[in-house]
Amino acid sequence: MIIKKYRRIFVFILLVLFGLVFTLSISTWSNTSRAGVKEQNSEYAQKAPYPKKIPNSSSPALQLAREGQQRYNAGKFDEAAKLWEQAAQAYKRMGDREGITKSLINKSQALQDLGLYPKACKTLLEAFAINNPSCSQAQIDDFLTNSQQRNSISPTQAVGLRSLGEVLRRQGLLNQSKKVLQLSLSVLKQSPESSAVLLSLGNTERAIGKQTRDRWDYEVVTDIIDRKSQQAALAPYQQAFNNYVEAATVTSASPIPKIQAQLNHFKLLLELQKWWEEQTNRRIASWSKFGESQLIQRGKDFLSQLEVRLSQDRQALQSQIESTLASLSPNRAAIYAQINFAQGLIQSKQIDKVEPILNAALQDAVTLQDRRAQTYALGYLARLYHEQGQLSRAIELTRQALVLAPGQNITGDAREISYVWQSQLGSLLREQGDTKGAITAYTAAFNTLQSLRSDLNANNRDVQFDFLQEVKPVYLELADLLLKSQLSPSELNALVVSNSSIKKEQVEGNKPKSRLEFARRVIESLQLAELDNFFQDPCSEETDIAVQIDDIDPQAAVIYPIVLKERLEVILSLPGKPLQEVAIPISEEQVNDILDRLYDNLDNVTVNTSARNILSTSNPDPQELKENIQRLLPIFGQVYQWLIKPFETELNANKIKTLVFVPNGQLQRVPMAALYDGQQYLIEKYNVALVPSLQLVDSKLIKQKQLKVLAAGVSEQIKVQEEIFPALTNVPKELNDIKEAFPSSMKLLNQEFTAKTIQNQMKFNFPVVHLATHGLFSSNPEKNFIITGDGKSISINELSALLREAENNLELLVLSACETATGDERAVLGLAGVAVRSGARSTLATLWPVGDASTAEVMGKFYQDLKKPGEKKLDALRMAQLSLIQSLKTKPPFEEMRALPPHPYYWASYVLVGNWQ
């Protein structure tokens, strides 16, 4: 449990340590901390292809290069980068192409250590004499094509390719990284440098494997567990395993890349065991609710067999690592290897072995005057002392680590290090009972994360999913502390809350007015960071100052449910009123258990008695459906008791008509319109909208204009990449109803509906785009797509680009036949992301597949109401849903259902995200 408590701080350590892939061993110009040092001039003279240009040992260029190496060895990466740039300029004046290349490769490495990957990438392309380097994907592809066509690549260039492969991996261009590294390996295969290249290739294959695994659908993971297939479970990482093993067996190589390959392999095995344990236990919990004893046993057998295999592999690796570490001479690379190993031992609960390793690393770091290494050693020692019950000592060492952290440089990894120890200090102080100190420390971590938000998304895309999983708890810890605290106004004002987008004159007005306001801001920031993380770039620009509901809709209330470890907090924002809160004494585990049961009964395709499975059969069993809704209504009633019941009096007194939810985690999967008070669904009393963050809602009032709709759809069965999508026979009626409601609309059906026709039509500035076609939202941005009539799929990024062809932003985007990925709690981010990326003020879509006859009916009613003067989008959607509910009451699909409320599966899938007016 203690290790789990600190799980969130691992990722940024990994971020840097995995970057320590001690590489270049053309030793005269390599990063000496990574490959050992030889005199630059001696080996340079042996390898330079321009003998007439060889500088003598006193040349200014060589002196600058050596001085850069010294600064780099001391951990002064920014100074090293400047000196190597000066060396490159000096070599340029001498006409020495080889010297230019080596100096720029070294400069790039220093920039990587600063976390400045885009600059590092451009520097490397400059080393390869690429004009106007931008490091765009197209430019990298062209560079690869040209490089592969060349007859020869020099060892120097091969080392540069290895460095470029590292940068591309950091920037998320994984396939390009793999190709570049394979090209590098083809040149260096028989040389000692091959170990470093294989290590880099292993890291890239690991990132590709992780991307593949994290994008598996729920049922794919379930099938692997059901089949007890260890081979399938480990398949995404098999190539990474092979590369790590091969890197560690290059006999002529430096020991540093070999030990790093072993360490990365060791920690990958640990991570895999943890991931499969979580996934298997999640399914066992689900199966337990339905008495699936055979599936439960298969899950337990799978997990047990996999753990035995991974444990045996780890034990063998650990023996190799311990032997190799004992033979390393003290240097910066060896220090980080020790720290990396200590982290792995903590993760594998071998606490008794950690202290001597960290003490040795700290002593070596002090001797070498490496502040960065001292920071890591002190921080990990602090964690170790905490686990040994020495809380005061742990706090003292964490503070020492923080003192050292900011002194390195003002950019890049210095902030990452600061974040790690700030959050650790907050956790320790909280345990000590120093709430105010913990809030101060967590606020500092919050500010650091805010400044890192765009940089991490732009520079480290291979760890994006971990970024979300590790950072989210820090936001929640700070919100938790604020909500439990009784900070006075003066204490609150003493907290420095930074926002890089705030102008100096706005700072005073931006200060949180209360602890609730600050907590709300933290949760809003988490929502924005999660959305940025989802798309792997800062696509969501928040406003300069906090947006209030008063600025948007005086008859709307915003509800922020915050699931904390020991309770559920709900913040209510009413127009013109102070924020209100209620704390429900229910644990995170209990909340998630209830929400899992809701999902299992509603939309889980792996549960036979889910509404989705019952209604997907050609002959649904009425009794099964009746029993299903009888299980669902109490769950919807429970969520109503949490989120709505405590505020009923205030909502009625303030004549609220619209409820806007800002959900997070598993609450994102809940169709809020279906919350049930025992008599009515929530939609029968209020308009219901979702927003990823109030900061993203365009609050400007748009002058009502003549509506016209670009309506496109696919009604025929269609095959796309071996997958068959069934016919949507009611789509023609859906599009005809739109055309009837808005005669100036454009209709595109089947083959008329292509990416090109959408692009062309958008030039005519349709305020509404309606797409009636198959589509999917998932936690994999690349698997967010819609199907066009010519049998192609358009990614959400491509769709967003097409929709932005219009001169004016879209008022409304409707995706009437899409669904969210099964079992994917982050899938709604795909939907929210469409709303943000397309430039649409609002997006209307479905959470699960609804019969296209029902969809045609709802959409027809929606547009009929939308054409009324002054009608709001959310009002029109609610009236359409109420119309369907009423028809289901009047004429239920089965007589057995007459005495029950209409099943939410028929009507609650429709959600409006974004501006609801």
mmCIF file of all heavy atoms in Angstrom, residues 76 361 435 625-626 741:
data_model
loop_
_atom_site.group_PDB
_atom_site.id
_atom_site.type_symbol
_atom_site.label_atom_id
_atom_site.label_comp_id
_atom_site.label_asym_id
_atom_site.label_seq_id
_atom_site.Cartn_x
_atom_site.Cartn_y
_atom_site.Cartn_z
ATOM 1 N N LYS A 76 25.998 20.659 -16.378
ATOM 2 C CA LYS A 76 25.621 22.021 -16.791
ATOM 3 C C LYS A 76 25.269 21.981 -18.283
ATOM 4 O O LYS A 76 26.017 22.426 -19.144
ATOM 5 C CB LYS A 76 26.766 22.989 -16.508
ATOM 6 C CG LYS A 76 27.093 23.080 -15.020
ATOM 7 C CD LYS A 76 28.270 24.003 -14.746
ATOM 8 C CE LYS A 76 28.578 24.064 -13.256
ATOM 9 N NZ LYS A 76 29.751 24.934 -12.946
ATOM 10 N N ALA A 361 25.323 5.799 -4.196
ATOM 11 C CA ALA A 361 25.041 6.733 -5.292
ATOM 12 C C ALA A 361 25.157 8.175 -4.818
ATOM 13 O O ALA A 361 25.709 9.037 -5.523
ATOM 14 C CB ALA A 361 23.644 6.466 -5.848
ATOM 15 N N THR A 435 -1.312 20.170 7.700
ATOM 16 C CA THR A 435 -2.180 20.374 6.542
ATOM 17 C C THR A 435 -1.781 21.604 5.745
ATOM 18 O O THR A 435 -1.743 21.571 4.505
ATOM 19 C CB THR A 435 -3.642 20.489 7.003
ATOM 20 O OG1 THR A 435 -4.009 19.281 7.676
ATOM 21 C CG2 THR A 435 -4.566 20.701 5.821
ATOM 22 N N LEU A 625 -34.991 -7.989 -20.139
ATOM 23 C CA LEU A 625 -34.934 -6.536 -20.187
ATOM 24 C C LEU A 625 -35.583 -5.922 -18.945
ATOM 25 O O LEU A 625 -35.085 -4.935 -18.390
ATOM 26 C CB LEU A 625 -35.611 -6.019 -21.459
ATOM 27 C CG LEU A 625 -35.393 -4.535 -21.770
ATOM 28 C CD1 LEU A 625 -33.913 -4.249 -21.977
ATOM 29 C CD2 LEU A 625 -36.186 -4.124 -23.009
ATOM 30 N N LYS A 626 -36.673 -6.525 -18.502
ATOM 31 C CA LYS A 626 -37.351 -6.051 -17.289
ATOM 32 C C LYS A 626 -36.430 -6.189 -16.079
ATOM 33 O O LYS A 626 -36.280 -5.254 -15.277
ATOM 34 C CB LYS A 626 -38.640 -6.838 -17.074
ATOM 35 C CG LYS A 626 -39.414 -6.433 -15.816
ATOM 36 C CD LYS A 626 -40.675 -7.280 -15.659
ATOM 37 C CE LYS A 626 -41.431 -6.913 -14.384
ATOM 38 N NZ LYS A 626 -42.649 -7.729 -14.228
ATOM 39 N N ALA A 741 -36.825 20.475 -42.742
ATOM 40 C CA ALA A 741 -36.844 21.512 -41.712
ATOM 41 C C ALA A 741 -36.057 22.739 -42.146
ATOM 42 O O ALA A 741 -36.435 23.876 -41.832
ATOM 43 C CB ALA A 741 -36.279 20.955 -40.404
#
